[in-house]
Amino acid sequence: MWEQVQETVNYINKVNNFNPEYGVILGSGLGSFTEDIKIELTLPYNEIPNFPVSTVQGHKGALVFGTIGDKKVVAMQGRFHFYEGYSMKEVTFPVRVMKYLGITKLIVSNASGGVNPNYKIGEIVIIKDHINFTPEHPLRGLNDERFGPRFVNMSEPYSRKMIAKAKLLATELKIEVKDGIYLGLQGPSFETLAEYKMVKILGADCVGMSTVPEVIVARHMDLETFGISVITDIGDEDNIDTISHDEVLEAAQKAEPNVRSLIKELILKY
């Protein structure tokens, strides 16, 4: 893994000598955030050595390098998922690459199903913690101390300082946000009603099929991490019959302007 990461980093540095401070992973329906970036280079995943290729509708599949104000950013247009058939090491490989390109902060976004009765479709949720119910841990196997410690302290998976700043900015921007706990499952099927009820009983507010592995690996490498989710469906008796991927994308796209504004201001002012 170490050699693959360094090979990929060396290739990207030869193509584009750019040291980003922020890495951003753009989830379903949120790929247009790159319009807020003054782009210097776009690298399709299929041109990058050792990179997987995204197979999911709504995930474009490119690394975008550029600036927001005076902040240097690298954004992933499309992420990788365990349900696509990749191993967790492949899913999280880009996070390791971004770390060695120079990032110190990672922002992750996703679409999720809400089980908190106070949530509604289109709501923006700042992730304050997560529950890992994915079937394979991204740090399983021999640990390479060059990346991070064998046993990772997960007491603060999402930066409390970044959360506090984002809430302050949301108030200034007049954007309504909630906070909540995200539970990660494998997918790709949406949850049954019984599974949604289980998620709620376990103490989570929303559920999705990504983010948790990437955040674990980010914390393994001591990256300060911030997570944001758009509630694209509600897992209860009144709403479960209508859930589809197209509806998820539609709901995410409606919330996108506010998510973009909040992430942009966080990068500029944190």
Side-chain angles (χ1 to χ4, degrees):
M1 173 69 78
W2 177 265
E3 288 74 19
Q4 286 182 314
V5 169
Q6 300 312 315
E7 179 187 1
T8 303
V9 169
N10 289 338
Y11 170 82
I12 294 171
N13 282 336
K14 285 178 183 176
V15 174
N16 184 43
N17 188 16
F18 187 88
N19 298 114
E21 177 184 350
Y22 277 88
V24 186
I25 300 177
L26 304 173
S28 297
L30 299 175
S32 295
F33 176 73
T34 52
E35 293 173 14
D36 293 323
I37 300 173
K38 184 180 178 183
I39 297 174
E40 294 196 8
L41 178 71
T42 299
L43 269 181
Y45 292 157
N46 59 12
E47 295 181 10
I48 303 173
N50 306 313
F51 246 64
V53 177
S54 183
T55 66
V56 181
Q57 178 190 355
H59 291 254
K60 292 184 179 180
L63 274 185
V64 178
F65 296 85
T67 55
I68 294 178
D70 61 350
K71 302 291 181 68
K72 291 185 176 181
V73 174
V74 54
M76 287 181 65
Q77 276 191 307
R79 56 152 52 92
F80 310 110
H81 304 81
F82 188 68
Y83 65 71
E84 293 177 77
Y86 297 117
S87 71
M88 283 299 190
K89 286 181 171 54
E90 291 173 311
V91 167
T92 57
F93 183 80
V95 178
R96 298 205 182 279
V97 169
M98 288 191 289
K99 159 74 174 182
Y100 287 96
L101 287 173
I103 74 165
T104 57
K105 302 173 188 70
L106 179 70
I107 295 175
V108 294
S109 66
N110 63 49
S112 66
V115 298
N116 186 319
N118 296 318
Y119 289 177
K120 57 183 182 289
I121 291 175
E123 198 112 60
I124 297 171
V125 176
I126 293 172
I127 303 172
K128 63 181 181 181
D129 206 344
H130 70 228
I131 299 170
N132 183 16
F133 258 55
T134 57
E136 180 186 312
H137 198 284
L139 302 183
R140 176 178 174 268
L142 186 66
N143 184 61
D144 191 329
E145 293 286 335
R146 290 172 291 185
F147 287 126
R150 167 77 285 182
F151 301 106
V152 183
N153 186 324
M154 294 297 292
S155 62
E156 191 180 345
Y158 303 89
S159 166
R160 297 186 190 108
K161 289 182 179 178
M162 292 183 82
I163 289 170
K165 185 64 174 179
K167 287 181 176 180
L168 184 64
L169 290 169
T171 301
E172 292 174 1
L173 294 166
K174 295 181 170 55
I175 296 172
E176 184 180 350
V177 297
K178 298 283 200 307
D179 62 20
I181 297 169
Y182 176 92
L183 187 143
L185 290 173
Q186 174 178 312
S189 56
F190 291 110
E191 289 71 36
T192 66
L193 183 58
E195 287 167 341
Y196 278 121
K197 289 179 179 177
M198 174 196 73
V199 170
K200 187 176 179 182
I201 290 168
L202 288 171
D205 299 287
C206 55
V207 58
M209 308 169 192
S210 66
T211 301
V212 171
E214 295 143 320
V215 171
I216 290 171
V217 166
R219 296 304 301 136
H220 185 233
M221 299 184 298
D222 201 28
L223 292 174
E224 192 172 9
T225 306
F226 176 81
I228 194 165
S229 186
V230 176
I231 302 301
T232 51
D233 58 271
I234 301 294
D236 60 20
E237 290 90 340
D238 296 328
N239 295 280
I240 194 169
D241 291 344
T242 63
I243 297 170
S244 70
H245 187 60
D246 287 339
E247 287 196 349
V248 166
L249 290 176
E250 183 181 352
Q253 285 160 0
K254 284 181 180 177
E256 183 179 42
N258 282 341
V259 175
R260 280 173 56 177
S261 295
L262 188 55
I263 292 176
K264 178 182 176 181
E265 288 302 305
L266 183 62
I267 289 172
L268 284 171
K269 296 178 179 176
Y270 182 75

